[in-house]
Amino acid sequence: KMVRMSVLADCLKNISNAEKRGKRQVLVRPVSKVIVKFLQCMQKHGYIGEFEIVDDHRAGKLVVELNGRINKCGVISPRFDVTMGDFDTWVANLLPSRQFGHIVLSTTYGIMDHDEAKRKHTGGKIL
């Protein structure tokens, strides 16, 4: 059995695979606080529908409703530091076009996407 390197990576991979197969919902396990925050971020931008946490007294499971809006989602590993000045270079490198796509950062103000981090004038680690 493989060791789980990154729970978040697994979660996003599961979601994008299910999305590619045209599934309506997907079961993700295990769950972490980072995953929940990340999904809330995705939900805010309308990439996914509702999700609910199933508490099984272990790591927990998550049922995510899909709406077919995800083209690609993944993790940047290692979690690079991003400063205010670097945002544009990262956006240029990672996102398909200037119009759409989000980079999710873990900042001192919590987990948010790069636009919000720009408004709050903070850098952070890229998720």
Side-chain angles (χ1 to χ4, degrees), residues 70-86:
I70 300 174
N71 296 328
K72 180 169 191 281
C73 59
V75 192
I76 311 294
S77 173
R79 292 182 174 171
F80 293 108
D81 292 332
V82 184
T83 56
M84 270 300 290
D86 294 346

Side-chain angles (χ1 to χ4, degrees), residues 63-122:
V63 179
V64 185
E65 301 285 329
L66 301 176
N67 54 16
R69 297 233 182 98
I70 300 174
N71 296 328
K72 180 169 191 281
C73 59
V75 192
I76 311 294
S77 173
R79 292 182 174 171
F80 293 108
D81 292 332
V82 184
T83 56
M84 270 300 290
D86 294 346
F87 274 142
D88 297 332
T89 36
W90 278 101
V91 169
N93 290 343
L94 296 174
L95 300 182
S97 78
R98 287 169 174 277
Q99 279 77 42
F100 67 99
H102 300 279
I103 296 177
V104 180
L105 307 166
S106 159
T107 67
T108 42
Y109 299 112
I111 291 176
M112 57 182 77
D113 64 325
H114 65 274
D115 302 321
E116 197 180 329
K118 239 179 191 155
R119 285 198 299 276
K120 290 211 163 101
H121 219 278
T122 175

Side-chain angles (χ1 to χ4, degrees), residues 28-80:
V28 177
R29 47 175 288 269
V31 177
S32 70
K33 284 189 293 199
V34 175
I35 286 182
V36 174
K37 290 270 185 264
F38 196 99
L39 290 181
Q40 276 163 355
C41 207
M42 282 169 77
Q43 202 175 17
K44 197 175 75 186
H45 295 294
Y47 286 111
I48 58 177
E50 298 295 311
F51 60 89
E52 57 176 320
I53 299 168
V54 182
D55 185 24
D56 57 358
H57 297 299
R58 290 180 197 78
K61 294 187 178 72
L62 214 92
V63 179
V64 185
E65 301 285 329
L66 301 176
N67 54 16
R69 297 233 182 98
I70 300 174
N71 296 328
K72 180 169 191 281
C73 59
V75 192
I76 311 294
S77 173
R79 292 182 174 171
F80 293 108

